[in-house]
Amino acid sequence: MKRVIPVLLVIALALGMFAGCGQKENPPAPESKPAAEKTADAAPAKDEPAKAESVNLKWAIWDLDATAYYNPLVEAYVAKNPHVSIEYIDLGSADFMTMLSTQLSGGADLDVLTIKDIPGYANLVKQNHLEPLNSYISSQGIDTSLYGGTTEQITVNGEVYALPFRSDFWVIFYNKDLFDKAGVDYPTNDMTLAQYDELARKMTSGSGADKIFGCHYHTWRSAVQLFGILDGKNTIVDGTYDFLKPYYELILKQQDDGICQDYATLKTSSIHYSGVFYNNQIAMMNMGSWFIATQIAKVKAGESLATNWGIAKYPHPDGVQAGTTLGTITSLAVNSNSKNKEAALDFMKFVTGPEGAAVVAKTGTIPAITNDEVVASITSMDGFPTDDASKEALKTSKTYLEMPMHDKSADIETVLNECHDNIMTKNTTIDEAIADMNSRIGEILK
């Protein structure tokens, strides 16, 4: 018994210690959270929003360094869609649509496609390279009336394959400093072609490296041929081209007299129209409104010496209303074989929609969706000419599409380009080239 009692005491003490440990204060309860936070914490992992997968889109473009709106558009889109990156594929401006067709036919990994002209667009549609958009337009509630009827003009067999994001028209860019130095009045917003020719002759001076040309025509056929459609009596797909003769006669005479630069020299040297304007070599240049943004940007960067410049409405034939001009649309499409079709369509929707239009307008470029605010945005840009005449030049009275939609437009374009080149290099006479156009395009239209 004496031995048992001490053992029982030890056991009792041990049990008391364990009991004491069990009576410690509980830790304070965690702070309560708002109901929404509790719900979020309680939600199973499978209900949490999925993190968007990274997507890299390849965008086929031309002239990245000379175009002001590419980077702002991409920056604005990526800011809203950080999981998307945009890679530029610059195919250059020369023969862009031919290059694009070749790339797509070879299976190039492209997603978003810039459509430069109607013939190239028609060709890509025929080759089944473009994603049909009717169902996407419907499902996304895209209001095509905002494009002013241009989507109807690019509809093929009831289907739309691209949406416009730029709508450009031709004007005259001129160098005010050269006019001031010569003591000649600036171009007006109501010039006939005869008055334009007279003004160009007055502004031509000097020789050699110091030569100032009164006017300039880039090597595109549109810089010459499209004077002929301003009266609304002809189009470039009619199949008869005798109406072009007086315009070729006018510009070949200017070339012979040294009023404009020689076409063959421009062609063989691949001289870009922007360079001769930047370097104060030309007094006037007929060019599209797309050059506004580029000129503003280059002046700010110190890369254009033509810092004092203006804009005038396009010169017109006798009897044609001032403000009549030529128009083009630039569109976006999606490669029908894109591996990132959903993201590509979304990027296209952004660029061609109101948000994209606002971004494009801020760079001085005229978007496809235009209103008073867009025009005000362009003319109020830092760097846009401050004179009222230049602002007025952006108001058009009638705009004709350079190339109407036609299922044979790509074939017609090929013949027109060849014949234009032959005329301007004097490989054939004007009459011979026009007869060639009439014959070959007549056969195409049959």
Side-chain angles (χ1 to χ4, degrees), residues 124-140:
L124 292 181
V125 170
K126 283 195 294 186
Q127 294 173 344
N128 297 315
H129 288 314
L130 306 185
E131 179 72 9
L133 298 177
N134 280 16
S135 61
Y136 183 77
I137 290 170
S138 177
S139 67
Q140 296 295 311

Side-chain angles (χ1 to χ4, degrees), residues 191-199 217 227-228 230 246-247 250-251 254 314-318:
M191 281 191 301
T192 65
L193 279 169
Q195 292 169 331
Y196 170 70
D197 177 64
E198 181 183 358
L199 194 57
Y217 305 97
F227 284 122
L230 291 174
Y247 306 102
L250 171 69
I251 291 164
Q254 289 179 343
Y314 211 55
H316 57 85
D318 289 328

Side-chain angles (χ1 to χ4, degrees), residues 131-444:
E131 179 72 9
L133 298 177
N134 280 16
S135 61
Y136 183 77
I137 290 170
S138 177
S139 67
Q140 296 295 311
I142 296 172
D143 183 5
T144 56
S145 68
L146 295 175
Y147 303 112
T150 52
T151 52
E152 287 79 1
Q153 296 182 61
I154 59 172
T155 298
V156 182
N157 297 324
E159 186 74 57
V160 176
Y161 294 86
L163 290 177
F165 74 97
R166 267 178 41 189
S167 181
D168 294 292
F169 54 88
W170 288 65
V171 293
I172 295 294
F173 291 84
Y174 63 94
N175 188 313
K176 291 182 177 180
D177 284 341
L178 294 181
F179 275 87
D180 292 342
K181 184 178 179 180
V184 176
D185 291 337
Y186 298 153
T188 71
N189 281 324
D190 188 2
M191 281 191 301
T192 65
L193 279 169
Q195 292 169 331
Y196 170 70
D197 177 64
E198 181 183 358
L199 194 57
R201 292 177 181 277
K202 286 182 180 179
M203 286 305 301
T204 301
S205 65
S207 60
D210 297 323
K211 176 77 179 273
I212 302 297
F213 294 93
C215 58
H216 182 81
Y217 305 97
H218 192 48
T219 54
W220 302 323
R221 64 160 189 85
S222 49
V224 178
Q225 291 180 358
L226 296 180
F227 284 122
I229 69 170
L230 291 174
D231 59 6
K233 297 177 182 178
N234 302 281
T235 77
I236 217 70
V237 295
D238 290 345
T240 55
Y241 299 93
D242 300 82
F243 69 91
L244 294 177
K245 183 173 181 177
Y247 306 102
Y248 273 114
E249 288 177 334
L250 171 69
I251 291 164
L252 282 182
K253 183 69 165 61
Q254 289 179 343
Q255 183 174 280
D256 291 342
D257 294 345
I259 308 302
C260 61
Q261 287 182 289
D262 178 69
Y263 174 91
T265 301
L266 294 173
K267 189 85 171 182
T268 56
S269 302
S270 298
I271 296 174
H272 199 271
Y273 62 84
S274 60
V276 290
F277 190 82
Y278 297 156
N279 294 327
N280 292 329
Q281 293 176 270
I282 53 177
M284 296 186 291
M285 177 175 70
N286 64 332
M287 188 50 59
S289 54
W290 58 81
F291 185 59
I292 294 172
T294 305
Q295 166 64 3
I296 289 173
K298 293 300 182 181
V299 167
K300 288 182 178 179
E303 297 175 27
S304 174
L305 302 178
T307 56
N308 189 19
W309 55 287
I311 304 170
K313 292 181 188 289
Y314 211 55
H316 57 85
D318 289 328
V320 173
Q321 184 181 1
T324 303
T325 187
L326 317 158
T328 62
I329 56 173
T330 306
S331 307
L332 284 191
V334 171
N335 181 3
S336 59
N337 290 321
S338 169
K339 299 173 184 175
N340 305 296
K341 200 170 290 184
E342 182 179 350
L345 286 166
D346 190 67
F347 179 66
M348 178 201 70
K349 177 187 172 185
F350 173 85
V351 172
T352 62
E355 290 178 283
V359 173
V360 170
K362 286 179 182 177
T363 69
T365 307
I366 299 175
I369 298 176
T370 57
N371 48 42
D372 290 341
E373 288 75 21
V374 164
V375 174
S377 175
I378 294 169
T379 58
S380 63
M381 279 185 65
D382 180 30
F384 188 90
T386 57
D387 61 289
D388 290 337
S390 290
K391 296 176 182 178
E392 182 67 22
L394 294 186
K395 298 178 181 178
T396 61
S397 57
K398 178 72 175 178
T399 302
Y400 293 101
L401 272 182
E402 290 187 21
M403 174 64 78
M405 188 63 207
H406 194 287
D407 62 351
K408 299 295 179 67
S409 60
D411 297 328
I412 293 171
E413 177 89 356
T414 298
V415 176
L416 292 175
N417 283 334
E418 288 178 6
C419 292
H420 172 71
D421 194 71
N422 285 332
I423 292 173
M424 296 304 294
T425 55
K426 298 186 177 180
N427 285 333
T428 61
T429 66
I430 296 173
D431 288 334
E432 288 170 340
I434 287 176
D436 192 26
M437 291 183 209
N438 291 343
S439 174
R440 293 169 63 190
I441 294 175
E443 287 298 315
I444 289 171

Side-chain angles (χ1 to χ4, degrees), residues 47 86 136 367:
D47 290 339
I86 312 291
Y136 183 77

Side-chain angles (χ1 to χ4, degrees), residues 73-93:
L73 281 170
V74 167
E75 288 166 4
Y77 182 77
V78 171
K80 295 184 66 175
N81 301 273
H83 65 290
V84 179
S85 59
I86 312 291
E87 180 182 349
Y88 301 116
I89 307 298
D90 193 337
L91 302 179
S93 59

